[in-house]
Amino acid sequence: MSGFFVVFEGGDGVGKSTQIDRLAEALRGEREVVVTREPGGTDLGQQLRQAIMHGGHVAPRAEALLYAADRAHHIATKVRPALDRGAVVVQDRYLDSSIVYQGGARGLGEEVERISTWATEGLVPHLTVLLDMEPGEGRLDRELDRVERETGEYKALIRQAFLDLARRDADRYVVVDAAQSIDEVAEAVRVAVDEALTKAGLPGLPAGPRGLEPWGTP
Ligand code: TMP
């Protein structure tokens, strides 16, 4: 495996897609860049994504296995081959999302991690970027109703679970404050990816024309 694998994680709506686009843009040039996501990074994965998200109730263990099936196929048929070709793979969500959502929030515990590790034959990213943001801070000036409160509590739980993973695996994680401006977040991501590329013995990602300087900077 001569490529580089970077994953973005975080709660819903923290700006992962925007930052993935910005990073991919900065990386393109001399190297092949593959942008992908879970669930749904392959044709089979698209069907599994539909099954997970657009059907009725899915039993939690079935849901965990569907995510793991998507992941197993995605890593075996798309991500590993790309890494073997020397590509940089920029991925929206990976195994840590299962640990947080299925293992934590759905209460399935540590087995979820083992299932995903088996599914991926132990593939670990070079770098995981956690886009971290306080859920819904300061956006409402009225009392929250019960559903809103529960939703807020759920989001806070998700956020904390990701932060715990980042602390547990500090060498592989970088936590970026996603409440900053898009350009500031992009710059923090660029610096972290540059460092991790260099650590992996690959050409870095210097600031400049191909870097993530704010757009419109003279
Ligand atoms: P997204 O593609 O918009 O990020 O949505 C994916 C949703 O699926 C998001 O709410 C998180 C959830 N998810 C899990 O629950 N477990 C997983 O393993 C993955 C990859 C995503």
Side-chain angles (χ1 to χ4, degrees):
M1 184 180 85
S2 53
F4 184 84
F5 187 22
V6 52
V7 169
F8 282 72
E9 295 278 10
D12 294 293
V14 291
K16 288 192 292 300
S17 311
T18 305
Q19 292 302 329
I20 286 170
D21 287 350
R22 291 284 297 260
L23 177 62
E25 183 57 34
L27 281 163
R28 280 192 190 102
E30 303 304 302
R31 49 196 143 198
E32 183 192 357
V33 180
V34 174
V35 176
T36 190
R37 69 164 172 178
E38 292 184 4
T42 60
D43 288 345
L44 174 62
Q46 287 287 346
Q47 294 177 38
L48 293 170
R49 187 181 170 94
Q50 287 283 331
I52 299 167
M53 289 178 182
H54 302 286
H57 170 72
V58 182
R61 280 164 196 261
E63 186 190 61
L65 290 169
L66 287 169
Y67 280 116
D70 165 74
R71 183 162 299 134
H73 187 68
H74 181 228
I75 295 302
T77 66
K78 187 169 178 181
V79 175
R80 275 194 194 271
L83 294 173
D84 287 343
R85 290 195 304 273
V88 177
V89 176
V90 182
Q91 182 166 318
D92 192 341
R93 297 194 182 279
Y94 188 44
L95 189 152
D96 289 345
S97 276
S98 279
I99 296 177
V100 166
Y101 288 93
Q102 281 67 56
R106 292 255 191 274
L108 293 179
E110 289 172 7
E111 270 170 335
V112 168
E113 181 168 4
R114 280 203 283 128
I115 289 165
S116 265
T117 301
W118 177 79
T120 61
E121 300 180 77
L123 182 66
V124 177
H126 291 89
L127 177 70
T128 299
V129 177
L130 174 58
L131 296 185
D132 175 60
M133 200 194 294
E134 182 101 27
E137 254 258 302
R139 300 224 178 103
L140 278 179
D141 53 5
R142 59 179 169 77
E143 278 281 288
L144 300 179
D145 68 27
R146 187 182 59 82
V147 173
E148 287 169 337
R149 246 194 331 270
E150 281 180 3
T151 312
E153 277 164 23
Y154 177 76
K155 286 183 179 167
L157 200 97
I158 297 291
R159 179 191 188 208
Q160 192 53 50
F162 274 122
L163 286 171
D164 289 346
L165 282 181
R167 202 170 308 121
R168 186 186 88 175
D169 228 342
D171 281 352
R172 166 171 73 82
Y173 258 96
V174 60
V175 181
V176 174
D177 176 5
Q180 302 175 92
S181 74
I182 289 175
D183 286 337
E184 285 168 330
V185 175
E187 175 58 12
V189 171
R190 184 195 68 76
V191 169
V193 171
D194 177 50
E195 265 181 41
L197 280 166
T198 307
K199 205 167 117 191
L202 296 165
L205 190 57
R210 299 221 67 85
L212 289 174
E213 292 288 275
W215 292 344
T217 303

